[in-house]
mmCIF file of all heavy atoms in Angstrom:
data_model
loop_
_atom_site.group_PDB
_atom_site.id
_atom_site.type_symbol
_atom_site.label_atom_id
_atom_site.label_comp_id
_atom_site.label_asym_id
_atom_site.label_seq_id
_atom_site.Cartn_x
_atom_site.Cartn_y
_atom_site.Cartn_z
ATOM 1 N N TYR A 122 0.799 -1.218 0.000
ATOM 2 C CA TYR A 122 0.000 0.000 0.000
ATOM 3 C C TYR A 122 0.836 1.274 0.000
ATOM 4 O O TYR A 122 0.303 2.357 -0.152
ATOM 5 C CB TYR A 122 -0.994 0.017 1.164
ATOM 6 C CG TYR A 122 -2.074 -1.009 0.948
ATOM 7 C CD1 TYR A 122 -2.090 -2.195 1.661
ATOM 8 C CD2 TYR A 122 -3.059 -0.812 -0.007
ATOM 9 C CE1 TYR A 122 -3.079 -3.146 1.434
ATOM 10 C CE2 TYR A 122 -4.045 -1.746 -0.245
ATOM 11 C CZ TYR A 122 -4.046 -2.911 0.483
ATOM 12 O OH TYR A 122 -5.004 -3.843 0.248
ATOM 13 N N LYS A 123 2.124 1.156 0.186
ATOM 14 C CA LYS A 123 3.009 2.314 0.153
ATOM 15 C C LYS A 123 4.179 2.029 -0.779
ATOM 16 O O LYS A 123 5.316 1.913 -0.346
ATOM 17 C CB LYS A 123 3.509 2.630 1.554
ATOM 18 C CG LYS A 123 2.406 3.016 2.499
ATOM 19 C CD LYS A 123 2.953 3.301 3.862
ATOM 20 C CE LYS A 123 1.798 3.573 4.810
ATOM 21 N NZ LYS A 123 2.264 3.855 6.142
ATOM 22 N N PRO A 124 3.896 1.923 -2.081
ATOM 23 C CA PRO A 124 4.957 1.543 -3.022
ATOM 24 C C PRO A 124 5.916 2.691 -3.318
ATOM 25 O O PRO A 124 5.551 3.870 -3.241
ATOM 26 C CB PRO A 124 4.172 1.176 -4.280
ATOM 27 C CG PRO A 124 2.960 2.040 -4.221
ATOM 28 C CD PRO A 124 2.610 2.116 -2.749
ATOM 29 N N SER A 125 7.120 2.300 -3.705
ATOM 30 C CA SER A 125 8.070 3.286 -4.212
ATOM 31 C C SER A 125 7.652 3.640 -5.638
ATOM 32 O O SER A 125 6.832 2.937 -6.240
ATOM 33 C CB SER A 125 9.475 2.687 -4.218
ATOM 34 O OG SER A 125 9.555 1.667 -5.214
ATOM 35 N N PRO A 126 8.194 4.701 -6.216
ATOM 36 C CA PRO A 126 7.852 5.033 -7.605
ATOM 37 C C PRO A 126 8.145 3.884 -8.581
ATOM 38 O O PRO A 126 7.351 3.619 -9.486
ATOM 39 C CB PRO A 126 8.711 6.258 -7.910
ATOM 40 C CG PRO A 126 8.909 6.910 -6.574
ATOM 41 C CD PRO A 126 9.004 5.756 -5.602
ATOM 42 N N VAL A 127 9.253 3.203 -8.384
ATOM 43 C CA VAL A 127 9.602 2.080 -9.266
ATOM 44 C C VAL A 127 8.575 0.955 -9.129
ATOM 45 O O VAL A 127 8.116 0.386 -10.124
ATOM 46 C CB VAL A 127 11.038 1.571 -8.977
ATOM 47 C CG1 VAL A 127 11.331 0.279 -9.718
ATOM 48 C CG2 VAL A 127 12.054 2.637 -9.340
ATOM 49 N N GLN A 128 8.182 0.641 -7.901
ATOM 50 C CA GLN A 128 7.181 -0.413 -7.690
ATOM 51 C C GLN A 128 5.827 -0.005 -8.260
ATOM 52 O O GLN A 128 5.104 -0.832 -8.803
ATOM 53 C CB GLN A 128 7.058 -0.723 -6.201
ATOM 54 C CG GLN A 128 8.275 -1.421 -5.648
ATOM 55 C CD GLN A 128 8.275 -1.455 -4.132
ATOM 56 O OE1 GLN A 128 7.806 -0.519 -3.482
ATOM 57 N NE2 GLN A 128 8.801 -2.524 -3.568
ATOM 58 N N LEU A 129 5.487 1.269 -8.179
ATOM 59 C CA LEU A 129 4.232 1.759 -8.734
ATOM 60 C C LEU A 129 4.221 1.622 -10.261
ATOM 61 O O LEU A 129 3.229 1.169 -10.840
ATOM 62 C CB LEU A 129 4.030 3.214 -8.318
ATOM 63 C CG LEU A 129 2.630 3.781 -8.420
ATOM 64 C CD1 LEU A 129 1.680 3.025 -7.500
ATOM 65 C CD2 LEU A 129 2.644 5.251 -8.074
ATOM 66 N N ILE A 130 5.321 1.954 -10.901
ATOM 67 C CA ILE A 130 5.411 1.819 -12.359
ATOM 68 C C ILE A 130 5.365 0.348 -12.759
ATOM 69 O O ILE A 130 4.735 -0.016 -13.758
ATOM 70 C CB ILE A 130 6.678 2.526 -12.891
ATOM 71 C CG1 ILE A 130 6.539 4.040 -12.680
ATOM 72 C CG2 ILE A 130 6.926 2.203 -14.355
ATOM 73 C CD1 ILE A 130 7.817 4.814 -12.892
ATOM 74 N N LYS A 131 6.008 -0.510 -11.972
ATOM 75 C CA LYS A 131 5.949 -1.953 -12.257
ATOM 76 C C LYS A 131 4.506 -2.453 -12.166
ATOM 77 O O LYS A 131 4.036 -3.213 -13.005
ATOM 78 C CB LYS A 131 6.830 -2.728 -11.266
ATOM 79 C CG LYS A 131 6.925 -4.207 -11.588
ATOM 80 C CD LYS A 131 7.623 -5.044 -10.521
ATOM 81 C CE LYS A 131 8.852 -4.431 -9.967
ATOM 82 N NZ LYS A 131 9.491 -5.251 -8.927
ATOM 83 N N HIS A 132 3.784 -2.009 -11.163
ATOM 84 C CA HIS A 132 2.381 -2.399 -10.992
ATOM 85 C C HIS A 132 1.536 -1.874 -12.154
ATOM 86 O O HIS A 132 0.667 -2.578 -12.669
ATOM 87 C CB HIS A 132 1.871 -1.872 -9.648
ATOM 88 C CG HIS A 132 0.553 -2.436 -9.243
ATOM 89 N ND1 HIS A 132 -0.096 -2.040 -8.115
ATOM 90 C CD2 HIS A 132 -0.270 -3.349 -9.812
ATOM 91 C CE1 HIS A 132 -1.253 -2.678 -8.015
ATOM 92 N NE2 HIS A 132 -1.375 -3.469 -9.042
ATOM 93 N N LEU A 133 1.780 -0.629 -12.574
ATOM 94 C CA LEU A 133 1.073 -0.079 -13.728
ATOM 95 C C LEU A 133 1.351 -0.908 -14.979
ATOM 96 O O LEU A 133 0.451 -1.135 -15.793
ATOM 97 C CB LEU A 133 1.486 1.374 -13.968
ATOM 98 C CG LEU A 133 0.753 2.424 -13.174
ATOM 99 C CD1 LEU A 133 1.460 3.771 -13.288
ATOM 100 C CD2 LEU A 133 -0.677 2.543 -13.612
ATOM 101 N N GLY A 134 2.589 -1.350 -15.141
ATOM 102 C CA GLY A 134 2.937 -2.206 -16.277
ATOM 103 C C GLY A 134 2.138 -3.494 -16.265
ATOM 104 O O GLY A 134 1.623 -3.943 -17.305
ATOM 105 N N PHE A 135 2.006 -4.084 -15.085
ATOM 106 C CA PHE A 135 1.203 -5.304 -14.957
ATOM 107 C C PHE A 135 -0.249 -5.027 -15.334
ATOM 108 O O PHE A 135 -0.881 -5.815 -16.041
ATOM 109 C CB PHE A 135 1.293 -5.862 -13.528
ATOM 110 C CG PHE A 135 0.415 -7.054 -13.318
ATOM 111 C CD1 PHE A 135 0.824 -8.308 -13.720
ATOM 112 C CD2 PHE A 135 -0.844 -6.923 -12.723
ATOM 113 C CE1 PHE A 135 0.004 -9.418 -13.538
ATOM 114 C CE2 PHE A 135 -1.666 -8.016 -12.550
ATOM 115 C CZ PHE A 135 -1.235 -9.271 -12.952
ATOM 116 N N VAL A 136 -0.786 -3.892 -14.871
ATOM 117 C CA VAL A 136 -2.176 -3.538 -15.178
ATOM 118 C C VAL A 136 -2.362 -3.369 -16.680
ATOM 119 O O VAL A 136 -3.339 -3.869 -17.254
ATOM 120 C CB VAL A 136 -2.603 -2.268 -14.401
ATOM 121 C CG1 VAL A 136 -3.930 -1.741 -14.896
ATOM 122 C CG2 VAL A 136 -2.661 -2.552 -12.905
ATOM 123 N N PHE A 137 -1.432 -2.680 -17.339
ATOM 124 C CA PHE A 137 -1.535 -2.525 -18.788
ATOM 125 C C PHE A 137 -1.514 -3.881 -19.500
ATOM 126 O O PHE A 137 -2.300 -4.113 -20.423
ATOM 127 C CB PHE A 137 -0.421 -1.631 -19.334
ATOM 128 C CG PHE A 137 -0.750 -0.175 -19.303
ATOM 129 C CD1 PHE A 137 -0.049 0.693 -18.472
ATOM 130 C CD2 PHE A 137 -1.753 0.347 -20.098
ATOM 131 C CE1 PHE A 137 -0.343 2.042 -18.443
ATOM 132 C CE2 PHE A 137 -2.058 1.698 -20.080
ATOM 133 C CZ PHE A 137 -1.357 2.541 -19.246
ATOM 134 N N CYS A 138 -0.612 -4.768 -19.092
ATOM 135 C CA CYS A 138 -0.570 -6.116 -19.696
ATOM 136 C C CYS A 138 -1.897 -6.838 -19.477
ATOM 137 O O CYS A 138 -2.447 -7.445 -20.405
ATOM 138 C CB CYS A 138 0.562 -6.945 -19.092
ATOM 139 S SG CYS A 138 2.182 -6.531 -19.703
ATOM 140 N N TRP A 139 -2.390 -6.798 -18.267
ATOM 141 C CA TRP A 139 -3.627 -7.490 -17.906
ATOM 142 C C TRP A 139 -4.804 -6.989 -18.741
ATOM 143 O O TRP A 139 -5.582 -7.769 -19.271
ATOM 144 C CB TRP A 139 -3.884 -7.282 -16.412
ATOM 145 C CG TRP A 139 -5.039 -8.039 -15.856
ATOM 146 C CD1 TRP A 139 -6.233 -7.520 -15.474
ATOM 147 C CD2 TRP A 139 -5.121 -9.437 -15.581
ATOM 148 N NE1 TRP A 139 -7.052 -8.512 -14.979
ATOM 149 C CE2 TRP A 139 -6.384 -9.697 -15.036
ATOM 150 C CE3 TRP A 139 -4.237 -10.492 -15.738
ATOM 151 C CZ2 TRP A 139 -6.794 -10.966 -14.664
ATOM 152 C CZ3 TRP A 139 -4.650 -11.757 -15.355
ATOM 153 C CH2 TRP A 139 -5.907 -11.979 -14.827
ATOM 154 N N ILE A 140 -4.927 -5.675 -18.872
ATOM 155 C CA ILE A 140 -6.019 -5.100 -19.664
ATOM 156 C C ILE A 140 -5.891 -5.518 -21.126
ATOM 157 O O ILE A 140 -6.881 -5.889 -21.763
ATOM 158 C CB ILE A 140 -6.041 -3.562 -19.516
ATOM 159 C CG1 ILE A 140 -6.483 -3.175 -18.110
ATOM 160 C CG2 ILE A 140 -6.958 -2.926 -20.562
ATOM 161 C CD1 ILE A 140 -6.309 -1.699 -17.784
ATOM 162 N N GLY A 141 -4.687 -5.462 -21.665
ATOM 163 C CA GLY A 141 -4.482 -5.859 -23.058
ATOM 164 C C GLY A 141 -4.798 -7.316 -23.303
ATOM 165 O O GLY A 141 -5.449 -7.672 -24.298
ATOM 166 N N ILE A 142 -4.359 -8.181 -22.393
ATOM 167 C CA ILE A 142 -4.614 -9.628 -22.536
ATOM 168 C C ILE A 142 -6.113 -9.905 -22.457
ATOM 169 O O ILE A 142 -6.660 -10.656 -23.267
ATOM 170 C CB ILE A 142 -3.833 -10.422 -21.469
ATOM 171 C CG1 ILE A 142 -2.336 -10.377 -21.799
ATOM 172 C CG2 ILE A 142 -4.337 -11.859 -21.378
ATOM 173 C CD1 ILE A 142 -1.437 -10.858 -20.678
ATOM 174 N N TRP A 143 -6.802 -9.288 -21.491
ATOM 175 C CA TRP A 143 -8.242 -9.520 -21.372
ATOM 176 C C TRP A 143 -9.014 -8.981 -22.565
ATOM 177 O O TRP A 143 -10.013 -9.560 -22.985
ATOM 178 C CB TRP A 143 -8.800 -8.964 -20.063
ATOM 179 C CG TRP A 143 -8.670 -9.970 -18.984
ATOM 180 C CD1 TRP A 143 -7.798 -9.940 -17.944
ATOM 181 C CD2 TRP A 143 -9.380 -11.200 -18.882
ATOM 182 N NE1 TRP A 143 -7.931 -11.074 -17.201
ATOM 183 C CE2 TRP A 143 -8.904 -11.880 -17.746
ATOM 184 C CE3 TRP A 143 -10.376 -11.809 -19.635
ATOM 185 C CZ2 TRP A 143 -9.377 -13.104 -17.343
ATOM 186 C CZ3 TRP A 143 -10.861 -13.043 -19.227
ATOM 187 C CH2 TRP A 143 -10.357 -13.669 -18.109
ATOM 188 N N ASN A 144 -8.541 -7.880 -23.129
ATOM 189 C CA ASN A 144 -9.206 -7.362 -24.323
ATOM 190 C C ASN A 144 -9.078 -8.349 -25.490
ATOM 191 O O ASN A 144 -10.028 -8.554 -26.241
ATOM 192 C CB ASN A 144 -8.634 -6.003 -24.716
ATOM 193 C CG ASN A 144 -9.402 -5.383 -25.851
ATOM 194 O OD1 ASN A 144 -10.579 -5.084 -25.706
ATOM 195 N ND2 ASN A 144 -8.763 -5.200 -26.982
ATOM 196 N N LEU A 145 -7.917 -8.972 -25.618
ATOM 197 C CA LEU A 145 -7.735 -9.970 -26.676
ATOM 198 C C LEU A 145 -8.535 -11.245 -26.392
ATOM 199 O O LEU A 145 -9.032 -11.891 -27.318
ATOM 200 C CB LEU A 145 -6.253 -10.324 -26.841
ATOM 201 C CG LEU A 145 -5.355 -9.223 -27.410
ATOM 202 C CD1 LEU A 145 -3.903 -9.689 -27.413
ATOM 203 C CD2 LEU A 145 -5.797 -8.829 -28.808
ATOM 204 N N ALA A 146 -8.651 -11.609 -25.123
ATOM 205 C CA ALA A 146 -9.321 -12.863 -24.755
ATOM 206 C C ALA A 146 -10.836 -12.750 -24.699
ATOM 207 O O ALA A 146 -11.535 -13.768 -24.837
ATOM 208 C CB ALA A 146 -8.793 -13.336 -23.390
ATOM 209 N N THR A 147 -11.360 -11.545 -24.535
ATOM 210 C CA THR A 147 -12.802 -11.361 -24.356
ATOM 211 C C THR A 147 -13.662 -12.012 -25.436
ATOM 212 O O THR A 147 -14.645 -12.681 -25.107
ATOM 213 C CB THR A 147 -13.140 -9.865 -24.214
ATOM 214 O OG1 THR A 147 -12.492 -9.383 -23.048
ATOM 215 C CG2 THR A 147 -14.626 -9.632 -24.090
ATOM 216 N N PRO A 148 -13.342 -11.856 -26.725
ATOM 217 C CA PRO A 148 -14.209 -12.485 -27.731
ATOM 218 C C PRO A 148 -14.320 -14.003 -27.584
ATOM 219 O O PRO A 148 -15.343 -14.588 -27.927
ATOM 220 C CB PRO A 148 -13.545 -12.126 -29.067
ATOM 221 C CG PRO A 148 -12.704 -10.935 -28.776
ATOM 222 C CD PRO A 148 -12.286 -11.053 -27.339
ATOM 223 N N TYR A 149 -13.279 -14.626 -27.043
ATOM 224 C CA TYR A 149 -13.272 -16.077 -26.887
ATOM 225 C C TYR A 149 -13.916 -16.530 -25.584
ATOM 226 O O TYR A 149 -14.353 -17.665 -25.470
ATOM 227 C CB TYR A 149 -11.836 -16.614 -26.959
ATOM 228 C CG TYR A 149 -11.137 -16.180 -28.216
ATOM 229 C CD1 TYR A 149 -10.190 -15.160 -28.186
ATOM 230 C CD2 TYR A 149 -11.430 -16.777 -29.440
ATOM 231 C CE1 TYR A 149 -9.552 -14.756 -29.346
ATOM 232 C CE2 TYR A 149 -10.799 -16.368 -30.602
ATOM 233 C CZ TYR A 149 -9.865 -15.360 -30.550
ATOM 234 O OH TYR A 149 -9.251 -14.958 -31.701
ATOM 235 N N LEU A 150 -13.953 -15.646 -24.599
ATOM 236 C CA LEU A 150 -14.421 -16.030 -23.261
ATOM 237 C C LEU A 150 -15.776 -15.450 -22.866
ATOM 238 O O LEU A 150 -16.354 -15.870 -21.877
ATOM 239 C CB LEU A 150 -13.393 -15.587 -22.212
ATOM 240 C CG LEU A 150 -12.011 -16.194 -22.331
ATOM 241 C CD1 LEU A 150 -11.075 -15.556 -21.321
ATOM 242 C CD2 LEU A 150 -12.063 -17.691 -22.145
ATOM 243 N N LYS A 151 -16.301 -14.488 -23.649
ATOM 244 C CA LYS A 151 -17.485 -13.763 -23.180
ATOM 245 C C LYS A 151 -18.717 -14.638 -22.988
ATOM 246 O O LYS A 151 -19.579 -14.293 -22.192
ATOM 247 C CB LYS A 151 -17.801 -12.587 -24.096
ATOM 248 C CG LYS A 151 -18.243 -12.934 -25.471
ATOM 249 C CD LYS A 151 -18.501 -11.660 -26.262
ATOM 250 C CE LYS A 151 -18.887 -11.987 -27.691
ATOM 251 N NZ LYS A 151 -19.036 -10.782 -28.475
ATOM 252 N N ASN A 152 -18.818 -15.766 -23.641
ATOM 253 C CA ASN A 152 -19.984 -16.644 -23.471
ATOM 254 C C ASN A 152 -19.732 -17.791 -22.501
ATOM 255 O O ASN A 152 -20.574 -18.658 -22.343
ATOM 256 C CB ASN A 152 -20.442 -17.182 -24.832
ATOM 257 C CG ASN A 152 -21.003 -16.073 -25.707
ATOM 258 O OD1 ASN A 152 -21.650 -15.160 -25.204
ATOM 259 N ND2 ASN A 152 -20.737 -16.130 -26.982
ATOM 260 N N THR A 153 -18.579 -17.785 -21.843
ATOM 261 C CA THR A 153 -18.286 -18.804 -20.839
ATOM 262 C C THR A 153 -18.735 -18.294 -19.466
ATOM 263 O O THR A 153 -18.991 -17.095 -19.290
ATOM 264 C CB THR A 153 -16.776 -19.125 -20.787
ATOM 265 O OG1 THR A 153 -16.078 -17.968 -20.312
ATOM 266 C CG2 THR A 153 -16.245 -19.537 -22.153
ATOM 267 N N THR A 154 -18.795 -19.178 -18.498
ATOM 268 C CA THR A 154 -19.181 -18.777 -17.138
ATOM 269 C C THR A 154 -18.198 -17.761 -16.570
ATOM 270 O O THR A 154 -18.599 -16.741 -16.001
ATOM 271 C CB THR A 154 -19.257 -20.009 -16.218
ATOM 272 O OG1 THR A 154 -20.189 -20.930 -16.784
ATOM 273 C CG2 THR A 154 -19.681 -19.636 -14.823
ATOM 274 N N ALA A 155 -16.903 -18.029 -16.746
ATOM 275 C CA ALA A 155 -15.893 -17.095 -16.237
ATOM 276 C C ALA A 155 -15.998 -15.754 -16.944
ATOM 277 O O ALA A 155 -15.902 -14.692 -16.310
ATOM 278 C CB ALA A 155 -14.494 -17.679 -16.422
ATOM 279 N N GLY A 156 -16.212 -15.780 -18.243
ATOM 280 C CA GLY A 156 -16.351 -14.538 -18.994
ATOM 281 C C GLY A 156 -17.547 -13.732 -18.546
ATOM 282 O O GLY A 156 -17.472 -12.509 -18.403
ATOM 283 N N LYS A 157 -18.671 -14.410 -18.311
ATOM 284 C CA LYS A 157 -19.872 -13.712 -17.842
ATOM 285 C C LYS A 157 -19.647 -13.108 -16.456
ATOM 286 O O LYS A 157 -20.137 -12.011 -16.164
ATOM 287 C CB LYS A 157 -21.065 -14.661 -17.837
ATOM 288 C CG LYS A 157 -21.537 -15.014 -19.241
ATOM 289 C CD LYS A 157 -22.648 -16.027 -19.211
ATOM 290 C CE LYS A 157 -23.024 -16.428 -20.636
ATOM 291 N NZ LYS A 157 -24.015 -17.488 -20.677
ATOM 292 N N LEU A 158 -18.907 -13.818 -15.605
ATOM 293 C CA LEU A 158 -18.592 -13.293 -14.276
ATOM 294 C C LEU A 158 -17.730 -12.034 -14.392
ATOM 295 O O LEU A 158 -17.990 -11.024 -13.721
ATOM 296 C CB LEU A 158 -17.895 -14.343 -13.420
ATOM 297 C CG LEU A 158 -17.439 -13.886 -12.036
ATOM 298 C CD1 LEU A 158 -18.638 -13.492 -11.179
ATOM 299 C CD2 LEU A 158 -16.630 -14.973 -11.363
ATOM 300 N N PHE A 159 -16.707 -12.075 -15.235
ATOM 301 C CA PHE A 159 -15.849 -10.906 -15.411
ATOM 302 C C PHE A 159 -16.617 -9.730 -15.996
ATOM 303 O O PHE A 159 -16.415 -8.588 -15.598
ATOM 304 C CB PHE A 159 -14.624 -11.230 -16.274
ATOM 305 C CG PHE A 159 -13.534 -11.920 -15.523
ATOM 306 C CD1 PHE A 159 -13.215 -13.232 -15.795
ATOM 307 C CD2 PHE A 159 -12.827 -11.259 -14.534
ATOM 308 C CE1 PHE A 159 -12.208 -13.875 -15.102
ATOM 309 C CE2 PHE A 159 -11.823 -11.883 -13.830
ATOM 310 C CZ PHE A 159 -11.510 -13.206 -14.113
ATOM 311 N N ILE A 160 -17.508 -9.987 -16.935
ATOM 312 C CA ILE A 160 -18.319 -8.920 -17.518
ATOM 313 C C ILE A 160 -19.240 -8.322 -16.449
ATOM 314 O O ILE A 160 -19.380 -7.103 -16.341
ATOM 315 C CB ILE A 160 -19.103 -9.441 -18.741
ATOM 316 C CG1 ILE A 160 -18.137 -9.713 -19.894
ATOM 317 C CG2 ILE A 160 -20.182 -8.448 -19.155
ATOM 318 C CD1 ILE A 160 -18.737 -10.489 -21.050
ATOM 319 N N PHE A 161 -19.861 -9.182 -15.637
ATOM 320 C CA PHE A 161 -20.711 -8.705 -14.539
ATOM 321 C C PHE A 161 -19.902 -7.823 -13.592
ATOM 322 O O PHE A 161 -20.344 -6.734 -13.216
ATOM 323 C CB PHE A 161 -21.309 -9.902 -13.782
ATOM 324 C CG PHE A 161 -22.061 -9.501 -12.547
ATOM 325 C CD1 PHE A 161 -23.370 -9.060 -12.627
ATOM 326 C CD2 PHE A 161 -21.451 -9.557 -11.305
ATOM 327 C CE1 PHE A 161 -24.066 -8.671 -11.488
ATOM 328 C CE2 PHE A 161 -22.125 -9.179 -10.159
ATOM 329 C CZ PHE A 161 -23.439 -8.736 -10.256
ATOM 330 N N CYS A 162 -18.720 -8.301 -13.210
ATOM 331 C CA CYS A 162 -17.880 -7.529 -12.285
ATOM 332 C C CYS A 162 -17.468 -6.198 -12.909
ATOM 333 O O CYS A 162 -17.442 -5.171 -12.235
ATOM 334 C CB CYS A 162 -16.644 -8.336 -11.896
ATOM 335 S SG CYS A 162 -17.000 -9.739 -10.844
ATOM 336 N N SER A 163 -17.149 -6.223 -14.192
ATOM 337 C CA SER A 163 -16.745 -5.007 -14.873
ATOM 338 C C SER A 163 -17.866 -3.979 -14.906
ATOM 339 O O SER A 163 -17.654 -2.793 -14.670
ATOM 340 C CB SER A 163 -16.312 -5.346 -16.298
ATOM 341 O OG SER A 163 -15.953 -4.187 -16.995
#
């Protein structure tokens, strides 16, 4: 909860990767149970 600037940028990098991967995976997963759960949460 109290990251250094370097740790904050590393975390942001992870978030960017995660968003990009989910955007690519969404068309394949949106009709699955897990996909519907993620869409609901979103």
